[in-house]
């Protein structure tokens, strides 16, 4: 009984379940009713993401591991996890819990040995994973295999969008990609989802002419420091170099939000270390960590 009590401390609270249940897929399958409830299976999935164990080691109190993993994989294929994140973001935005000063950064997730060994050609599988990149978002560097998670976080340390790349990928080319994934529907009435932050904060790695031009075209304020070599080249050109972009060191301190957001996500061991062979499965794991963060914030503040 003691082991059961330890594992259940990661379960959904009643307040969290009340906010999550309306976002789950509706409808019943034909046949006899399932033995295990969705709440139990979701708790088992959240336990695995928090602990980082193999699926076979999910405690029996959540149901058979095949059933728990089956729900995780089925909803990943149907895009349900992303839909849940979007629904929670819309609810938070309607409650005024999103501050649209967005910080962008990335973090490395070391790949466990279990993450290696996927097919080089994923489309040759019996059931090809939709959207799976050929490199499985795994890159080899001096430290071994790794995956880089690029993310945009609002000022309250909650993630708005994520992008996966191999670990050796540079940050700057993914700047527009991660901003392009921000999409928060409006619950107050008809209208397009909000996709444009008020301000974007990022470190020197994102200080490129293309990134700044992208923000100017969209009317987004930028707080990004200038690299030393860029400053030197501008001075060498004299008046032809133009004015340097504005930078407010006081506002730049707000960029701590993305660092704190990464720390919150890495409390989940299956996020901090990648155990999934397929990038689409690891992306679903990342979405579940996002769900945990949004649920915690909504239940505490809304």
């Amino acid at each position: 009984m003691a082991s059961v009590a330890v594992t259940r401390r990661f379960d959904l609270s009643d307040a969290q379940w009340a906010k999550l249940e309306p976002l789950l897929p509706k409808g019943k399958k034909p046949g006899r009713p399932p033995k295990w409830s969705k709440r139990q299976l979701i708790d088992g999935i959240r336990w695995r993401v928090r602990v980082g164990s193999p699926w076979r080691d999910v405690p029996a109190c959540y149901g058979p591991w095949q059933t728990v993993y089956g729900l995780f994989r089925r909803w990943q294929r149907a895009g349900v996890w992303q839909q849940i994140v979007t629904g929670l973001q819309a609810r938070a935005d309607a409650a005024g819990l999103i501050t649209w000063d967005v910080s962008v950064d990335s973090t490395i997730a070391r790949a466990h040995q279990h993450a290696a060994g996927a097919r080089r050609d994923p489309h040759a599988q019996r059931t090809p994973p939709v959207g799976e990149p050929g490199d499985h978002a795994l890159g080899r560097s001096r430290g071994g295999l790794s995956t880089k998670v690029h993310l945009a976080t609002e000022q309250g340390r909650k993630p708005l969008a994520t992008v996966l790349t191999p670990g050796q990928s540079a940050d700057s080319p993914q700047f527009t990609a991660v901003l392009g994934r921000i999409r928060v529907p409006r619950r107050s009435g008809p209208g397009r989802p909000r996709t444009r932050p008020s301000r974007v904060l990022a470190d020197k790695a994102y200080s490129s002419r293309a990134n700044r031009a992208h923000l100017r075209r969209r009317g987004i304020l930028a707080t990004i420091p200038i690299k030393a070599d860029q400053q030197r080249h501008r001075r060498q050109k004299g008046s032809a170099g133009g004015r340097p972009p504005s930078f407010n060191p006081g506002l730049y301190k707000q960029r701590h939000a993305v660092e704190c957001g990464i720390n919150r996500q890495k409390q989940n061991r299956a996020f901090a270390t990648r155990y999934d062979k397929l990038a689409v499965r690891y992306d679903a794991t990342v979405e579940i960590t996002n769900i945990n963060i949004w649920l915690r914030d909504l239940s505490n503040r809304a």
Side-chain angles (χ1 to χ4, degrees):
M1 294 299 292
S3 61
V4 174
V6 170
T7 59
R8 305 299 294 209
R9 65 193 178 98
F10 298 138
D11 290 4
L12 291 164
S13 65
D14 291 337
Q16 292 174 335
W17 177 248
K19 291 175 173 56
L20 179 63
E21 187 178 18
L23 303 175
L24 302 183
K26 302 297 189 296
K28 294 183 178 180
K29 290 185 176 181
R32 78 175 81 174
K35 180 179 178 181
W36 303 95
S37 67
K38 285 183 180 178
R39 183 171 180 176
Q40 285 178 295
L41 298 178
I42 292 173
D43 281 336
I45 294 170
R46 294 175 73 247
W47 182 90
R48 183 263 174 183
V49 171
R50 181 61 184 263
V51 175
S53 74
W55 286 102
R56 293 175 181 270
D57 293 341
V58 173
C61 59
Y62 298 119
W65 74 266
Q66 298 94 330
T67 307
V68 177
Y69 175 68
L71 182 68
F72 167 80
R73 182 178 60 178
R74 188 166 62 251
W75 283 7
Q76 174 266 310
R77 290 176 173 174
V80 173
W81 299 117
Q82 176 59 51
Q83 294 172 13
I84 293 174
V85 174
T86 302
L88 292 172
Q89 290 174 346
R91 183 164 186 168
D93 190 39
L97 301 181
I98 295 181
T99 303
W100 284 94
D101 288 351
V102 174
S103 301
V104 177
D105 206 349
S106 67
T107 183
I108 292 289
R110 294 296 180 187
H112 191 268
Q113 61 182 355
H114 293 166
R119 288 177 179 266
R120 293 186 178 180
D121 183 8
H123 302 288
Q125 294 184 205
R126 182 182 303 175
T127 54
V130 178
E132 178 68 15
D135 55 13
H136 304 292
L138 280 174
R140 187 176 296 279
S141 61
R142 191 174 295 178
L145 292 175
S146 61
T147 295
K148 183 173 282 190
V149 183
H150 308 262
L151 67 162
T153 303
E154 56 92 42
Q155 195 57 36
R157 303 175 298 166
K158 300 181 292 295
L160 291 174
T162 55
V163 172
L164 301 184
T165 62
Q168 79 278 9
S169 300
D171 291 348
S172 185
Q174 304 303 321
F175 181 76
T176 56
V178 69
L179 289 179
R181 289 198 177 186
I182 298 177
R183 190 177 181 84
V184 179
R186 305 177 192 270
R187 289 169 56 96
S188 57
R192 291 179 295 178
R194 177 159 184 176
T195 61
R196 187 172 61 182
S198 302
R199 178 182 296 274
V200 171
L201 303 96
D203 59 23
K204 291 182 180 181
Y206 299 93
S207 177
S208 70
R209 183 177 300 177
N211 291 340
R212 294 183 187 274
H214 174 76
L215 295 179
R216 281 197 301 270
R217 284 195 303 269
R218 300 188 64 195
I220 302 172
L221 300 175
T223 302
I224 305 174
I226 309 170
K227 292 183 178 179
D229 61 333
Q230 292 175 344
Q231 292 178 332
R232 186 170 59 254
H233 294 160
R234 186 183 299 274
R235 286 195 298 266
Q236 289 174 352
K237 293 181 179 179
S239 59
R243 295 180 179 179
S246 61
F247 175 70
N248 188 326
L251 286 175
Y252 185 68
K253 294 179 181 180
Q254 297 180 5
R255 202 189 67 84
H256 78 281
V258 68
E259 304 290 351
C260 295
I262 290 172
N263 290 339
R264 294 178 74 181
Q265 288 184 308
K266 286 201 169 183
Q267 292 174 6
N268 300 275
R269 294 175 66 86
F271 177 98
T273 303
R274 173 175 168 174
Y275 299 98
D276 304 280
K277 291 183 184 296
L278 298 180
V280 290
R281 301 279 195 270
Y282 181 63
D283 188 53
T285 299
V286 173
E287 297 294 352
I288 292 169
T289 65
N290 296 341
I291 291 171
N292 293 341
I293 292 172
W294 283 101
L295 275 178
R296 187 192 313 172
D297 193 74
L298 281 169
S299 60
N300 290 341
R301 297 173 59 186

